Amino acid sequence: MLSPRPAPVPRLRIACLGPSARSFPRCSPATVGRFGQRNVTTARVSLASGGHRGHRGPGPLATRSPLRQTQLLPQVRGKKTRTVVKLDELPQGIVIPSEPLPLEEDEPTYPTVVLQARRNMQKFDNCVLLTRVGGFYELYFDQADEYGPLLNLKVAQKKTSAGPVPMAGFPFFQLDRFLKILVQDLNRHVAIAEEFPNDPSEKIKSGGLMHNRKVARIVTPGTLIDENFMDPYANNYVLAIHLPEPAALDHVSCQEGQRAAETSESFANDTPARIGLAWLDLSTGYFFTQPTTLASLGSVLSRVSPREIVLDKALESDQNHSLLSILQEERYLVSYSPQGELRQLSDWAPMLESEIPAQTVEKFTESEVQAGSLLLHYVEGRLQGLSMKLQPPLRHENMDIMSIDKNSMRSMEIKQTVRDGAFKGSLLHAIRRTVTKSGARLLDEWLSAPSTSLEVINFRQDLVSRFIQDEDLRDAIVVLLRRSHDSQRLVQKFALNRGDPDDLLRLANTIKATEDIVILLNTSASPRPDNGSENHCLSTMVARISLDQPLKLAERIRDAIDEEGLVQQHQIEDSEAGEMMALAQEIVKAEGTEEDSTLLPKGAAAKTTKQQQQPKKSPSIRDHYGEDGEVWIMRPAASALLSRLHGQLATLRQEKDQLTETLRARLGATSLTLRWTPGLGHICHVKGKDARRPPAAAAAAASEAAAAAAAAENETSPPPTTTIRTLSSSRTTRSFHQPEWTALGESLDKLRFQIRAEEQRVFAALRARVVHNLVKLRRNALVLDELDIATSFALLAIEQRLVRPLLTNTQQTIIVGGRHPTVEGGLAEQGRTFQRNDCLVGGGGGTAQGGGQKGHGRIWLITGPNMAGKSTFLRQNALITILAQIGCYVPADYASLGIVDAIFSRVGSADNLYQDQSTFMVEMLETAAILRQATPRSFVIMDEVGRGTTPEDGTAVAFAALHHLVSVNKCRALFATHFHGIADLVAKQGMRVEDGGPNGAIDMYCTDVEEDDQGGFVYVYKLRKGINTQSHALKVARLAGLPEQAIRVAQQVLQDSGAIISSQKVAELAGASASAAVVG
């Protein structure tokens, strides 16, 4: 795969010897004829990796005949050689089997870099390999041909002794840009091979190679850590699924024809086995597990939204498994991994920041443990040896959260719109006012899984209420939150042994902001009799923050890190990047086209122009590593050794200055400077007239100066003769060595190396202290995130005139003047107002007609015209319920809501051609899932059930679903329909509230249309009691632009059908009267 062309396999050539060639079979390179043995296969020599092209691994060295197989000792004498063995020298008879001698490796035919890349590509054959070569990352062989065009990289042919090798590359500082394309856009696994300097012993083993290139990390869509292209407002989960043995063996066979007839839900209903889930976000350390079933898997995945799903390697060969059909339906990225050595919860301990609580350990199911073990083994392999510290796993089954199935998540547009999957227009977009990225992620989590705990909800509401009342407190906290950073991801970077000094300073700033917030909350939480619960919630938030050790850490970070040095380092890095960009622009401008210029990164032109206009403080990276361009990250006071080393460095600098003046006087060269260059080392550099002075004259002047100095000191021995040997020269400059400067320069280099090493030690110590405070820092970060959400909810409530809902443990929903949270905003942009509506569902059943107080119906049956707002009304009440249970205020005049354990939605319609399902089939699957799973504490909205079939069948199915909700599920529901006959069936079955009895649970409401004398009309979005038997479909058709001729035809059909229906009713009445007369 990796070689551009197949290579010849070296053979042991055997000559055909004998009295007459005619008496033997014809000889060939592979066979030889001899007495007593025919057709002996030639022994083939397989070279070790790194030898001839096309090698695929070692092979056996043997002779083979129809009677027996015997091993021959290989004879290898290097490339392009031929060995001839006489016949009488071949082993005779049975050769005792023995281990073949180790093969001597030929010198690699590829250059070292290409050979290292080739071996890494063989080892990580399922990854795109990016190899670091100096200032570039490069692709080779077929990967360069395949991905070069996708990345808009030019594919070149690298000339080698083994033939041309395709290659493509990009500068190292553009790594994130190309990782985004490969990982996020193309869903590829990327192996990054970095350069690791060889120590002296490794250099000897490798034949003098300076670097070894090893894969340092494998980047996949689900294992991102700190990449710049990560979505900062959403978690990046990788999820593993474990199937128990019975479920793993139970799969759908195509031969049985089940795949077209069953989906995830319908199949899982016949497979009650529990499966285990485990998911984590490597960028934050969050770790969760949950047992579930195949029936609920789709909804769990919709809530978690994993970027990557990991399955056991054993499932890779079973592409007909039902689990894969579930994952393929939503097009999840699936990776496969062996189970690994992790088997028990105790095996997870090295990868967790703290122990799992004992009461939680007992609740983990075996499937959860196996899913978690599979997940940790997979992630560990992606990190390639990096340490990992995750938060102890939380069991989702133990959490009091509302269940929202995948159909409801999609149809109610909670996170994205149905039409185009956009964020704008979703509920999350409408309510998000957070100022921190981690706060936005937590809000996303809350919206996916609202709480069902009254205590939690009321606490959140108290916090929001406090911030609504105290505007100054809210604004001050928002300002401080803006000064903080994404500490959840910051501390996780250090837990993974990553992070840089900038991250340490960000963490210190966040700790300082946390301290200021605590002071502010303590001041505001002073006892006041009028709002005791609100003050209590502030005190509770403060009590959750631990600052003793983090404050010491922040102080240590500020004392150790030199911020000015960091700024200078960034300027150097930007300067180097700008120089490379400018060079690229010059080349494109001179040789390229307009299309080529579009391949440069956005903003490159403006950036390089700006840098060219500004004076360069550090012109190149060479100066950074030169004599006077040191940029130190740590302050000298960061450690005692660092302080001593900087003192010694200052002394050596003074010696350098003194030596400069001495050499200028001795050589008579006032322009002399002491420098260091990568090629020449420590040199003396002169320019101008000093450079034009002959070296002999300069040497004579130096000797005279030395003699004069010796005479002044009364030395009897003659001074040494000074010899100047020019290393490089031009018309205006000349460079040469001076032993005194060489010795002093080496001392400076050694001292700088020691300072760099000590800086690394201090930085490692700071990183270790961050990891030591990991638990405290994460808990503090969570408090900041909750404060961010609470202040954003308070701001939202003021902006949109929201009210605090009353949450109870009853089974009723009372919403007065409710509004749709997203539709209202869209209408406001158009200058229109939203029609408020009431929703009074539940609160007791009806009584007999004889009297007694009746409550509101558990279910509303809603009829009315098309486009009159029925679906909007259904969705708005479900969304208000969700908002209330995440602790947010709601768009209504008043709201009292009983806690809802699950929300189910069957709104809208679409076919699923991938699963071979019609529109009606999809509708029935969604309906079946609701009727099977809804409980008395659930809230259900159903719209247009049965519309995908004939009116008769649709009416029957819709009424059956409604009857099931009333008699079996007994939940709160809003049921909209155009089948007006359902209302008659409800009355006939005695299911109205006024009918009383156990099934008297349905109230009937409708919307309407108002018409004028000229044929104009307006929709009446306000719901009223009653039934509307007119759908006014032709009015909608006219608004949509249906041709007028088609409208007239439709009107005629309606008139004719109305006349037929009227005549049928007259005939029925006449028949009934005649029967009554006969009976009488």
Side-chain angles (χ1 to χ4, degrees):
M1 180 183 88
L2 303 176
S3 178
R5 59 188 182 189
V9 180
R11 303 173 184 269
L12 185 63
R13 302 295 295 270
I14 302 176
C16 296
L17 304 175
S20 174
R22 296 181 181 178
S23 61
F24 300 102
R26 182 180 179 183
C27 293
S28 69
T31 59
V32 61
R34 70 185 178 116
F35 293 110
Q37 187 172 355
R38 304 183 61 177
N39 300 328
V40 179
T41 303
T42 303
R44 299 197 175 195
V45 181
S46 297
L47 299 179
S49 177
H52 286 274
R53 305 180 303 274
H55 170 67
R56 291 296 182 272
L61 307 176
T63 57
R64 184 172 57 199
S65 71
L67 299 178
R68 63 184 181 272
Q69 293 184 4
T70 58
Q71 291 187 335
L72 294 178
L73 299 180
Q75 298 185 24
V76 181
R77 293 188 180 178
K79 190 171 64 173
K80 297 182 180 179
T81 61
R82 177 176 299 177
T83 301
V84 179
V85 181
K86 294 182 180 180
L87 186 62
D88 55 359
E89 294 177 352
L90 291 175
Q92 303 297 315
I94 299 177
V95 179
I96 300 175
S98 62
E99 294 293 329
L101 294 177
L103 300 180
E104 298 179 2
E105 294 189 4
D106 283 355
E107 288 296 321
T109 55
Y110 290 123
T112 302
V113 175
V114 178
L115 187 61
Q116 290 174 339
R118 181 171 177 266
R119 291 170 179 170
N120 285 330
M121 291 176 70
Q122 290 173 334
K123 184 176 180 181
F124 303 94
D125 55 356
N126 64 331
C127 300
V128 179
L129 179 71
L130 301 179
T131 303
R132 179 71 179 263
V133 183
F136 290 84
Y137 283 100
E138 298 181 352
L139 298 101
Y140 297 100
F141 298 105
D142 57 334
Q143 290 187 354
D145 288 329
E146 180 179 357
Y147 295 104
L150 295 177
L151 300 175
N152 284 329
L153 298 176
K154 182 178 180 180
V155 180
Q157 298 295 322
K158 184 180 182 68
K159 295 181 180 180
T160 71
S161 59
V165 175
M167 63 167 292
F170 55 86
F172 71 95
F173 54 82
Q174 292 185 349
L175 177 62
D176 272 348
R177 175 192 174 200
F178 291 101
L179 273 181
K180 177 185 182 299
I181 300 174
L182 290 170
V183 177
Q184 186 167 292
D185 300 340
L186 301 178
N187 284 330
R188 297 294 190 269
H189 293 194
V190 178
I192 302 176
E194 299 287 359
E195 292 180 332
F196 295 90
N198 283 331
D199 57 30
S201 61
E202 291 174 339
K203 286 182 182 179
I204 296 174
K205 294 179 182 178
S206 61
L209 300 181
M210 296 295 295
H211 293 93
N212 184 22
R213 292 172 177 84
K214 298 184 294 185
V215 172
R217 185 181 162 214
I218 300 174
V219 183
T220 70
T223 57
L224 303 179
I225 298 176
D226 56 358
E227 284 69 22
N228 291 332
F229 56 85
M230 284 182 66
D231 184 357
Y233 303 108
N235 283 299
N236 197 83
Y237 286 123
V238 54
L239 179 143
I241 303 175
H242 174 76
L243 296 177
E245 201 62 28
L249 297 176
D250 187 3
H251 61 277
V252 178
S253 173
C254 292
Q255 297 176 355
E256 296 172 358
Q258 295 178 357
R259 182 176 181 274
E262 294 183 326
T263 64
S264 60
E265 286 82 6
S266 60
F267 174 81
N269 290 331
D270 298 330
T271 311
R274 306 281 281 180
I275 64 177
L277 304 180
W279 64 97
L280 63 84
D281 184 348
L282 199 55
S283 68
T284 61
Y286 289 141
F287 187 14
F288 300 95
T289 67
Q290 178 181 348
T292 186
T293 63
L294 284 178
S296 304
L297 179 59
S299 299
V300 175
L301 295 179
S302 178
R303 183 189 76 233
V304 177
S305 300
R307 287 296 315 277
E308 183 179 4
I309 293 178
V310 182
L311 302 179
D312 195 295
K313 190 76 172 177
L315 286 173
E316 189 172 10
S317 59
D318 189 2
Q319 292 300 310
N320 292 328
H321 198 285
S322 60
L323 174 62
L324 296 179
S325 67
I326 299 173
L327 303 180
Q328 290 167 359
E329 183 177 352
E330 299 296 332
R331 299 183 179 180
Y332 289 107
L333 174 66
V334 177
S335 302
Y336 296 91
S337 171
Q339 187 67 37
E341 299 178 355
L342 303 176
R343 294 293 178 180
Q344 300 176 352
L345 277 177
S346 58
D347 298 334
W348 301 1
M351 290 168 277
L352 303 179
E353 66 181 17
S354 59
E355 294 183 358
I356 305 174
Q359 62 272 21
T360 306
V361 172
E362 301 172 355
K363 298 178 181 179
F364 281 99
T365 65
E366 180 63 23
S367 294
E368 287 178 277
V369 174
Q370 295 305 316
S373 299
L374 175 64
L375 178 63
L376 292 177
H377 175 75
Y378 176 77
V379 172
E380 197 176 24
R382 304 306 94 185
L383 295 179
Q384 290 290 298
L386 281 179
S387 62
M388 175 171 55
K389 290 295 181 183
L390 304 172
Q391 301 183 40
L394 297 177
R395 296 193 71 243
H396 239 270
E397 196 171 63
N398 294 344
M399 303 171 67
D400 297 326
I401 58 174
M402 176 197 295
S403 172
I404 306 176
D405 69 337
K406 65 175 183 179
N407 298 318
S408 304
M409 192 76 71
R410 179 170 51 243
S411 64
M412 292 192 296
E413 300 182 316
I414 293 177
K415 294 184 181 180
Q416 60 185 20
T417 59
V418 174
R419 178 176 295 274
D420 52 7
F423 172 65
K424 185 177 182 180
S426 65
L427 177 64
L428 181 57
H429 174 264
I431 69 170
R432 193 171 77 185
R433 300 290 187 278
T434 51
V435 296
T436 67
K437 297 170 183 177
S438 52
R441 292 196 301 271
L442 183 61
L443 176 60
D444 188 296
E445 292 283 323
W446 283 9
L447 209 53
S448 301
S451 177
T452 57
S453 168
L454 274 178
E455 181 182 359
V456 171
I457 297 171
N458 287 330
F459 179 84
R460 294 175 182 174
Q461 290 180 345
D462 289 342
L463 206 55
V464 175
S465 175
R466 184 69 175 84
F467 290 134
I468 291 176
Q469 296 172 14
D470 195 337
E471 182 179 355
D472 293 338
L473 174 63
R474 181 185 72 242
D475 293 343
I477 288 181
V478 169
V479 170
L480 292 173
L481 287 172
R482 291 184 186 276
R483 296 179 187 173
S484 67
H485 297 270
D486 192 348
S487 51
Q488 291 281 8
R489 286 184 170 171
L490 276 179
V491 297
Q492 182 63 12
K493 288 169 69 173
F494 291 110
L496 292 167
N497 203 26
R498 296 166 70 91
D500 53 31
D502 290 291
D503 294 324
L504 285 175
L505 286 177
R506 294 187 187 105
L507 186 59
N509 292 336
T510 302
I511 295 172
K512 174 59 178 173
T514 306
E515 181 188 23
D516 294 340
I517 288 175
V518 168
I519 295 173
L520 195 60
L521 292 178
N522 279 328
T523 304
S524 303
S526 57
R528 290 170 56 185
D530 54 337
N531 51 3
S533 60
E534 285 82 357
N535 286 331
H536 174 70
C537 70
L538 294 182
S539 302
T540 303
M541 297 296 283
V542 171
R544 292 170 53 192
I545 297 178
S546 175
L547 278 177
D548 293 338
Q549 294 300 320
L551 282 175
K552 294 178 182 178
L553 171 63
E555 183 179 2
R556 173 63 180 146
I557 290 173
R558 293 185 182 280
D559 291 341
I561 296 180
D562 186 352
E563 296 187 44
E564 292 183 1
L566 271 181
V567 172
Q568 292 180 24
Q569 186 186 51
H570 294 326
Q571 289 175 346
I572 291 171
E573 293 170 352
D574 292 342
S575 174
E576 186 72 9
E579 288 177 5
M580 194 168 293
M581 286 294 182
L583 178 61
Q585 283 186 333
E586 290 177 6
I587 295 174
V588 169
K589 188 176 180 180
E591 304 178 7
T593 62
E594 293 184 2
E595 183 179 356
D596 294 330
S597 63
T598 61
L599 303 182
L600 294 175
K602 296 180 180 179
K607 184 175 181 180
T608 53
T609 302
K610 182 177 180 181
Q611 289 180 348
Q612 289 170 358
Q613 293 174 352
Q614 293 179 350
K616 295 182 180 180
K617 294 184 179 180
S618 182
S620 69
I621 203 71
R622 177 183 299 174
D623 290 340
H624 169 53
Y625 291 107
E627 290 303 316
D628 298 316
E630 301 97 337
V631 176
W632 307 116
I633 304 303
M634 298 296 168
R635 299 179 189 271
S639 73
L641 177 58
L642 206 54
S643 178
R644 186 170 68 252
L645 291 175
H646 275 283
Q648 295 174 8
L649 181 63
T651 301
L652 290 181
R653 281 177 174 172
Q654 291 179 357
E655 293 181 12
K656 176 187 173 184
D657 294 338
Q658 294 173 359
L659 179 62
T660 301
E661 296 301 325
T662 301
L663 291 177
R664 284 175 178 175
R666 183 189 306 171
L667 300 178
T670 57
S671 65
L672 182 142
T673 56
L674 304 181
R675 297 183 179 183
W676 175 88
T677 63
L680 301 177
H682 298 90
I683 59 172
C684 297
H685 181 82
V686 294
K687 60 183 179 179
K689 62 179 182 179
D690 296 332
R692 293 189 291 272
R693 189 177 182 185
S703 299
E704 291 176 2
E713 296 180 5
N714 298 318
E715 294 182 359
T716 57
S717 59
T721 304
T722 303
T723 303
I724 296 178
R725 183 170 58 87
T726 300
L727 299 175
S728 66
S729 63
S730 66
R731 294 179 59 186
T732 58
T733 64
R734 188 169 75 251
S735 301
F736 54 90
H737 277 158
Q738 189 69 21
E740 298 154 289
W741 167 231
T742 301
L744 180 59
E746 290 176 353
S747 299
L748 281 167
D749 289 344
K750 182 179 180 181
L751 197 56
R752 289 192 186 96
F753 179 79
Q754 292 175 339
I755 292 176
R756 295 288 180 195
E758 178 62 11
E759 282 196 340
Q760 289 297 321
R761 189 200 66 78
V762 172
F763 177 72
L766 289 174
R767 184 157 53 189
R769 291 189 65 172
V770 172
V771 176
H772 182 72
N773 289 275
L774 205 58
V775 176
K776 298 182 181 68
L777 292 171
R778 278 175 169 161
R779 288 175 180 171
N780 295 348
L782 181 58
V783 175
L784 296 189
D785 295 343
E786 293 180 11
L787 287 172
D788 188 15
I789 294 177
T791 53
S792 71
F793 282 173
L795 180 62
L796 181 71
I798 295 172
E799 284 181 357
Q800 302 187 4
R801 306 179 310 282
L802 309 183
V803 300
R804 177 172 180 168
L806 175 64
L807 275 298
T808 66
N809 277 319
T810 64
Q811 297 182 24
Q812 69 174 11
T813 296
I814 300 176
I815 300 173
V816 179
R819 313 187 304 274
H820 195 292
T822 59
V823 174
E824 183 182 30
L827 292 176
E829 292 179 358
Q830 305 172 20
R832 300 165 60 189
T833 58
F834 186 87
Q835 174 62 60
R836 307 180 182 212
N837 268 305
D838 303 338
C839 179
L840 313 173
V841 177
T847 61
Q849 294 183 3
Q853 187 176 4
K854 300 190 298 293
H856 303 293
R858 288 198 314 271
I859 297 176
W860 278 20
L861 178 63
I862 304 172
T863 55
N866 292 289
M867 294 285 294
K870 297 190 302 298
S871 295
T872 301
F873 177 75
L874 266 59
R875 290 185 177 101
Q876 87 179 30
N877 290 288
L879 293 178
I880 287 174
T881 303
I882 292 174
L883 289 177
Q885 292 191 208
I886 67 173
C888 183
Y889 282 28
V890 299
D893 298 332
Y894 172 82
S896 175
L897 308 172
I899 291 293
V900 171
D901 66 353
I903 281 184
F904 297 97
S905 168
R906 209 247 62 78
V907 178
S909 66
D911 53 22
N912 186 350
L913 299 180
Y914 182 83
Q915 294 289 336
D916 195 19
Q917 296 164 357
S918 66
T919 302
F920 184 68
M921 183 62 177
V922 172
E923 180 185 313
M924 288 298 98
L925 289 169
E926 295 176 359
T927 302
I930 294 173
L931 299 183
R932 287 176 179 270
Q933 299 176 32
T935 70
R937 300 186 68 86
S938 300
F939 189 87
V940 175
I941 59 174
M942 302 186 78
D943 186 23
E944 305 296 348
V945 175
R947 66 176 171 182
T949 184
T950 63
E952 295 79 10
D953 290 348
T955 300
V957 171
F959 178 74
L962 181 62
H963 187 277
H964 199 278
L965 291 175
V966 172
S967 59
V968 179
N969 302 107
K970 298 181 179 180
C971 59
R972 287 163 281 177
L974 301 176
F975 195 99
T977 184
H978 282 290
F979 296 137
H980 310 119
I982 294 178
D984 299 330
L985 293 173
V986 167
K988 185 177 180 180
Q989 294 285 339
M991 297 168 61
R992 298 174 299 181
V993 171
E994 54 266 29
D995 294 330
N999 289 338
I1002 298 179
D1003 272 331
M1004 299 188 185
Y1005 284 80
C1006 65
T1007 56
D1008 210 341
V1009 165
E1010 288 184 358
E1011 300 181 85
D1012 57 23
D1013 298 337
Q1014 286 76 33
F1017 68 94
V1018 293
Y1019 288 110
V1020 180
Y1021 298 107
K1022 184 70 174 179
L1023 268 72
R1024 62 174 175 83
K1025 274 221 168 191
I1027 305 169
N1028 191 335
T1029 59
Q1030 297 294 323
S1031 292
H1032 299 279
L1034 295 188
K1035 292 183 173 61
V1036 178
R1038 182 173 276 112
L1039 287 175
L1042 206 68
E1044 195 60 33
Q1045 182 179 357
I1047 296 291
R1048 288 195 296 270
V1049 171
Q1051 290 174 338
Q1052 184 62 44
V1053 171
L1054 283 177
Q1055 291 174 2
D1056 294 344
S1057 62
I1060 294 173
I1061 293 174
S1062 298
S1063 62
Q1064 288 177 347
K1065 288 185 176 180
V1066 171
E1068 291 175 359
L1069 290 174
S1073 300
S1075 300
V1078 171
V1079 172

